[in-house]
């Protein structure tokens, strides 16, 4: 859209015609809506509003999930209440979302009123978070990085980047203001230091405190929250919920094999894309001082458009295909509930108890009720397979000889 805005600035349909866009409008993020209005008129403005709304809600949702998960499980359950029930954990997750939403709204409003633009935040984001890129990458790619290096190198990198950013601004402009700290050279210095300083901190911390050779086995010790209180209040048997009772050894072995394969693919693609996009493509062009010809620029634009379509397929369409069965089951269940056409098949349990016989929940259709005398014994759970009663959906059978 940036290239589109540059191409359309001299068109009478462009909102600022015959003038070029002011720098303040560019940093405020108005390039996209102006280009959309020039191409599509009022429809472009509506489409831009919808696009921005969807992007903001999607990003906010991801942040809320991350914050609530970290606070609930990594902080509250780990350090304050290890025996917290499922109901309590959900309450804390909801509370953290509300508190974070209020803080986020207040902070963003404050930034607007003190004159911090979208462009400023976009560049500052690299200064603040880029020091975590290498530690996070090496956590997956290099088993010798230890816990201290993974924990402290982002913090040390952040301190270094802030120093480089502010010192450069002070030295170049003589003061620290929104204009001076938001200019190109200070932001460039902060971003570069943030990204590359962990290259110094990680080896020093790793070999000073010893390589860890981490194998992720400790991740298997992470326990799920106890949801029995929620299940009982909703009259739901956790044994009937797929995945609620954990994986069998065979299923776990298959899952680990799938994870190992996915890990290899992800690591290979990450290494290739990093090498291609950060070194092989841009650096030779920058070093040679090459000026785009018309044909080369046309090819550049075509590749960019193809990349966008590829990204749209991978992010927007492929997940729909991959989750088609789950979505089909979900919508099928919704339709059955709304139309009253019955319940989906379930896998159940058998419980033997003194004097009361055996309770069986059977897959299929039917209710069979009978009596019997062989119902004593220790309660146990078995999978029932499939079967049909004669009159309904759930079967309750008393005793081994019940009908």
């Amino acid at each position: 859209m940036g290239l589109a805005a540059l191409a359309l600035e001299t068109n009478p349909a462009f909102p600022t015609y015959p003038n070029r866009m002011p720098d303040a409008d560019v940093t405020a993020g108005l390039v996209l809506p102006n280009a959309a209005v020039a191409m599509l008129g009022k429809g472009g403005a509506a489409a831009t509003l919808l696009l921005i709304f969807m992007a903001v809600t999607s990003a906010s949702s991801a942040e809320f999930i991350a914050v609530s998960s970290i606070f609930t499980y990594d902080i509250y359950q780990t350090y304050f209440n290890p025996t917290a029930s499922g109901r309590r954990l959900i309450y804390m997750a909801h509370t953290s979302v509300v508190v974070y939403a209020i803080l986020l709204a207040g902070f963003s409003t404050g930034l607007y009123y003190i004159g911090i633009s979208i462009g400023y935040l976009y560049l500052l984001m690299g200064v603040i978070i880029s020091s975590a890129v290498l530690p996070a990458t090496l956590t997956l790619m290099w088993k010798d990085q230890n816990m201290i290096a993974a924990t402290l190198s982002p913090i040390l990198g952040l301190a270094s980047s802030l120093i480089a950013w502010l010192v450069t601004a002070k030295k170049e402009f003589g003061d620290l203001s929104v204009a001076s700290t938001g200019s190109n050279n200070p932001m460039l210095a902060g971003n570069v230091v943030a990204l590359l300083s962990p290259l110094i901190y990680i080896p020093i911390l790793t070999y000073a405190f010893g390589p860890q050779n981490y194998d992720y086995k400790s991740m298997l010790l992470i326990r799920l929250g106890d949801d029995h209180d929620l299940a009982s209040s909703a009259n739901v048997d956790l044994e009937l919920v797929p995945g609620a009772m954990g994986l069998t050894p065979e299923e776990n072995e298959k899952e680990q094999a799938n994870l190992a394969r996915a890990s290899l693919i992800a690591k290979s693609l990450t290494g290739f894309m990093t090498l291609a996009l950060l070194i092989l493509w841009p650096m030779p062009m920058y070093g040679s001082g090459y000026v785009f010809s018309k044909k080369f620029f046309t090819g550049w634009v075509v590749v960019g458009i193809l990349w966008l379509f590829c990204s749209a397929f991978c992010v927007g369409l492929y997940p729909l295909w991959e989750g088609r069965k789950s979505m089909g089951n979900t919508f099928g269940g919704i339709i059955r509930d709304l139309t009253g056409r019955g319940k989906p098949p379930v896998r159940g349990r058998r419980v033997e108890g003194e004097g009361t016989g055996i309770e069986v929940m059977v897959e299929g259709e039917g209710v069979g009720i009978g009596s019997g005398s062989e119902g004593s014994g220790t309660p146990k759970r078995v999978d029932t397979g499939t079967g049909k009663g004669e009159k309904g959906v759930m079967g309750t059978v008393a005793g081994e000889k019940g009908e």
Side-chain angles (χ1 to χ4, degrees):
M1 296 304 293
L3 291 175
L6 285 173
L8 292 170
E9 270 190 318
T10 57
N11 190 295
F14 200 77
T16 63
Y17 179 84
N19 300 318
R20 302 197 66 184
M21 284 187 64
D23 292 342
D25 288 355
V26 174
T27 58
L30 296 180
V31 173
L32 170 62
N34 282 348
V37 168
M39 288 188 293
L40 303 173
K42 292 183 178 179
T48 301
L49 181 61
L50 178 62
L51 179 66
I52 293 175
F53 175 79
M54 294 175 64
V56 170
T57 52
S58 174
S60 300
S61 173
E63 288 187 13
F64 291 149
I65 292 172
V67 169
S68 64
S69 299
I70 291 172
F71 175 78
T72 303
Y73 296 101
D74 295 343
I75 298 176
Y76 177 74
Q77 187 184 31
T78 301
Y79 299 105
F80 294 96
N81 192 357
T83 60
S85 64
R87 185 183 301 277
R88 184 65 180 175
L89 293 176
I90 289 179
Y91 173 79
M92 297 306 299
H94 290 174
T95 302
S96 65
V97 166
V98 172
V99 172
Y100 180 71
I102 295 173
L103 294 176
L104 185 64
F107 183 69
S108 59
T109 303
L111 290 177
Y112 172 77
Y113 279 105
I114 64 176
I116 301 299
S117 65
I118 296 296
Y120 189 101
L121 286 177
Y122 185 78
L123 296 175
L124 182 61
M125 181 175 64
V127 177
I128 296 174
I129 68 173
S130 291
S131 58
V133 172
L134 282 175
T137 302
L138 293 178
T139 299
L140 302 175
M141 307 284 283
W142 188 39
K143 63 180 181 179
D144 287 341
Q145 178 180 241
N146 60 30
M147 180 182 66
I148 296 176
T151 304
L152 294 183
S153 55
I155 300 173
L156 296 173
L158 172 60
S160 302
S161 66
L162 292 176
I163 293 171
W165 171 48
L166 296 176
V167 167
T168 304
K170 178 70 173 179
K171 183 177 179 181
E172 186 168 337
F173 297 94
D175 64 349
L176 295 178
S177 62
V178 173
S180 63
T181 57
S183 58
N184 288 335
N185 287 339
M187 285 293 188
L188 176 62
N191 275 265
V192 170
V193 171
L195 183 62
L196 300 182
S197 60
L199 284 175
I200 299 173
Y201 297 129
I202 290 175
I204 292 175
L205 294 173
T206 295
Y207 291 108
F209 294 94
Q212 188 165 344
N213 193 23
Y214 185 62
D215 57 6
Y216 284 91
K217 293 293 178 64
S218 63
M219 293 293 182
L220 299 175
L221 302 178
I222 297 176
R223 59 187 182 86
L224 299 176
D226 184 2
D227 292 330
H228 284 82
D229 57 333
L230 296 172
S232 55
S233 65
N235 295 319
V236 173
D237 188 350
L238 288 177
E239 295 178 3
L240 304 180
V241 179
M245 303 307 294
L247 301 176
T248 65
E250 293 78 12
E251 291 172 336
N252 183 65
E253 184 177 354
K254 183 179 179 181
E255 180 75 8
Q256 294 302 317
N258 290 335
L259 288 174
R261 178 175 176 272
S263 175
L264 178 61
I265 294 174
K267 291 176 181 178
S268 302
L269 287 176
T270 299
F272 171 75
M273 301 274 297
T274 301
L275 188 65
L277 297 179
L278 296 183
I279 298 176
L280 297 181
W281 189 350
M283 288 191 176
M285 297 181 64
Y286 178 79
S288 63
Y290 178 72
V291 178
F292 287 10
S293 64
K294 184 177 180 179
K295 289 184 178 180
F296 188 90
F297 181 70
T298 302
W300 179 282
V301 174
V302 169
V303 169
I305 294 174
L306 291 176
W307 184 267
L308 289 176
F309 275 101
C310 241
S311 301
F313 172 79
C314 294
V315 176
L317 298 180
Y318 180 69
L320 296 177
W321 171 259
E322 191 177 37
R324 64 192 184 282
K325 294 182 180 178
S326 297
M327 290 188 293
N329 290 336
T330 300
F331 286 116
I334 293 173
I335 293 173
R336 284 192 293 270
D337 284 343
L338 293 176
T339 58
R341 294 180 179 177
K343 299 178 180 179
V346 296
R347 293 187 68 83
R349 64 179 183 175
R350 183 175 72 181
V351 179
E352 298 178 1
E354 284 190 7
T356 58
I358 304 171
E359 176 187 347
V360 183
M361 294 182 181
V362 188
E363 285 186 351
E365 305 169 354
V367 172
I369 301 178
S371 61
S373 59
E374 297 182 23
S376 62
T378 304
K380 66 179 181 179
R381 173 173 53 87
V382 297
D383 290 331
T384 60
T386 59
K388 291 188 178 181
E390 296 181 354
K391 297 182 180 179
V393 178
M394 286 288 187
T396 300
V397 182
E400 295 281 354
K401 294 184 178 179
E403 297 177 357

